[in-house]
Amino acid sequence: MDQTTTAAILRDHVACECADMCRHCETRALSVCGPLESDDFLGLQRLNHPVTFPARAVLFNQESPVRHVFTIVHGVVRLYKLLPDGRRQIVGFALPGDFLGLALADGYGFCADSVTAVSACRFSRDHFADFADRHPAMLRRLHDMATHELALAQQQMVLLGRRDAEEKIASFLIVLQKRWARITGKISVTIDLPMGRQDIADFLGLTIETVSRTLNRMARDRLLVIVPDGVRVLDAPRLESLASA
Amino acid sequence: MDQTTTAAILRDHVACECADMCRHCETRALSVCGPLESDDFLGLQRLNHPVTFPARAVLFNQESPVRHVFTIVHGVVRLYKLLPDGRRQIVGFALPGDFLGLALADGYGFCADSVTAVSACRFSRDHFADFADRHPAMLRRLHDMATHELALAQQQMVLLGRRDAEEKIASFLIVLQKRWARITGKISVTIDLPMGRQDIADFLGLTIETVSRTLNRMARDRLLVIVPDGVRVLDAPRLESLASA
DNA sequence: CGCTACATTGACCTTGCTCAAGATTAGTGG
DNA sequence: CCACTAATCTTGAGCAAGGTCAATGTAGCG
């Protein structure tokens, strides 16, 4: 895990057999969609289309209507909004197991594209919505997910509105570390950062220069070491206190 | 509407008879909870407890578990999170018709207190959740609301992360104008601001001085006029272009 | 009238942005 | 395997938007 980055592992996984991917897909879909009855699960499974994307592929864009929703199986997707003059705000990164398509019930569109190669479960937006309407347990699960997303979004508002650059970076790293830990099942002092500095900047409301400077200052201060496609945490307590301060 | 501010009207409404308030309450509860069958409506009505709060009353706080959820009938409530060192981020203002309690399914708590005097429909959190579980139409409605809130939260992230002070203020004013318009049924060039400058600052990720300076500069530039408890828009097109630019 | 809370204004300073130049890394074709 | 190119990252110097600190103004209220 320290030699081979998660980014690389994810790239490899995408290359695996379709049959294997579908198995992943189903497991993910089940875990994401919560405690469904087994016939519900079969129904949902029938709606599922496994798909893969190379890095930089567009999943949604702000202009065109959304036809599909996705569950990410492997890889990382960035969700963002663009202002007319080109300024970008990344509103989230979708990691394996995440569901893409909660926030698009209304007219409010956003963009999504793959940071790495990605494999996903694709569902027709309409079929998925029908299925949810006919299965209250699933609707309930979707609602819990939406509620959870809302709480995260509010946490992100605090970060964007009231924290300085160092706190933003520290918080970003700690949150990502915990998300990877949930996915891989074990916590790692090496935090993979498959996204580039510009993506981190656009997520945290900073510039690429500030992200770079802050990370390198943290490295100089022995808080962490910068490694290819990520960082390795040296002083977890200090980083955590920065993140939550 | 131009002489008497909305803030004053809201204060008056709170003073009205309990019977009158309950009628308001039921109407609001129905409209908020969407297209329910009539017996559903009666069931929900039975769970409802009309309550009033003076200005500055605490509805939720970050520490203690949430026992009730609310639908606001009159008045304005601010929702916010506090950092350990006292920095505050207001994540939203709840206006008449808004539902309070979507984002608190998980452990993530936040604070809420009344900006003005408030009347509301109070529901036990558990009873409300049970009711939703037994009425898929209502659950569906709640989910749509959560999804809508999520879209708004993402819009707020763009504002906090990627817009300058002037754009933030302009956007805040235009959004509030549209929200009041939906509530009162007619658009008004006078935008009521029942919350103080500090609240606006903590909502937009600015300081009170920057809010004050920016508003007064806009007044000097003939974009608007500052009136007691609000502003009057003079140059709507220019304000709107600032808000969306 | 005087108290308190809130808003405004000014002077100054700091954080983070802008602009520009290198350094690294990754990808490509010979 | 290496040279060349393009993309990404780092670093520095200067600047400006917005924050900080402090003083003054204003409105509501007992």
Side-chain angles (χ1 to χ4, degrees), chain A residues 88-165:
Chain A
R88 183 178 68 154
Q89 176 68 41
I90 292 186
V91 298
F93 293 102
L95 267 38
D98 289 343
F99 179 72
L100 269 190
L102 276 177
L104 30 80
D106 340 5
Y108 298 86
F110 56 85
C111 304
D113 51 33
S114 50
V115 172
T116 63
V118 161
S119 69
C121 306
R122 194 187 71 189
F123 303 91
S124 146
R125 188 176 175 283
D126 293 339
H127 292 166
F128 195 81
D130 286 349
F131 186 86
D133 276 338
R134 280 181 287 108
H135 298 268
M138 165 122 171
L139 182 56
R140 176 61 204 274
R141 175 74 183 145
L142 281 173
H143 183 232
D144 289 346
M145 286 165 58
T147 289
H148 179 70
E149 285 294 307
L150 190 54
L152 293 180
Q154 292 177 345
Q155 212 44 57
Q156 188 69 3
M157 285 188 217
V158 178
L159 184 123
L160 289 169
R162 285 292 176 238
R163 313 189 101 158
D164 66 22

Side-chain angles (χ1 to χ4, degrees), chain B residues 22-195:
Chain B
C22 292
R23 186 163 45 72
H24 272 291
C25 235
E26 286 159 17
T27 314
R28 288 288 183 192
L30 182 64
S31 79
V32 165
C33 299
L36 301 177
E37 300 303 313
S38 69
D39 62 327
D40 290 351
F41 175 51
L42 288 173
L44 190 60
Q45 189 185 9
R46 252 199 312 279
L47 295 178
N48 165 41
H49 294 262
V51 288
T52 62
F53 299 98
R56 301 295 138 89
V58 174
L59 280 77
F60 305 138
N61 89 58
Q62 226 159 317
E63 315 307 335
S64 46
V66 172
R67 305 260 296 280
H68 300 104
V69 296
F70 301 90
T71 296
I72 305 301
V73 179
H74 300 303
V76 177
V77 174
R78 61 187 173 210
L79 313 176
Y80 56 94
K81 292 189 174 248
L82 292 172
L83 291 177
D85 63 359
R87 281 174 290 179
R88 183 177 68 154
Q89 177 68 41
I90 293 186
V91 298
F93 294 101
L95 267 37
D98 289 342
F99 179 73
L100 270 189
L102 277 177
L104 31 81
D106 337 8
Y108 297 87
F110 56 85
C111 304
D113 51 32
S114 50
V115 172
T116 64
V118 162
S119 68
C121 305
R122 194 187 71 190
F123 304 91
S124 144
R125 187 176 175 284
D126 293 339
H127 293 166
F128 195 82
D130 286 350
F131 186 86
D133 275 338
R134 280 182 287 107
H135 300 268
M138 164 123 170
L139 182 57
R140 176 61 203 275
R141 175 73 183 145
L142 281 173
H143 183 233
D144 289 346
M145 285 165 59
T147 289
H148 179 69
E149 285 294 307
L150 189 53
L152 293 180
Q154 292 178 345
Q155 211 46 55
Q156 189 69 3
M157 286 188 216
V158 178
L159 184 123
L160 290 169
R162 285 290 176 241
R163 314 187 99 156
D164 66 22
E166 193 170 44
E167 293 170 332
K168 285 178 177 179
I169 299 274
S171 174
F172 171 69
L173 293 176
I174 296 292
V175 168
L176 206 55
Q177 182 179 46
K178 296 206 170 118
R179 290 182 70 190
W180 283 129
R182 287 201 59 165
I183 291 166
T184 63
K186 58 173 192 282
I187 203 153
S188 161
V189 293
T190 302
I191 307 170
D192 277 291
L193 302 173
M195 66 294 288

Side-chain angles (χ1 to χ4, degrees), chain B residues 164-165 207 209-210 213:
Chain B
D164 66 22
T207 59
E209 293 94 334
T210 300
R213 270 188 259 270

Side-chain angles (χ1 to χ4, degrees), chain A residues 164-165 206-207 209-210 213:
Chain A
D164 66 22
L206 299 170
T207 58
E209 293 95 332
T210 300
R213 270 189 258 271

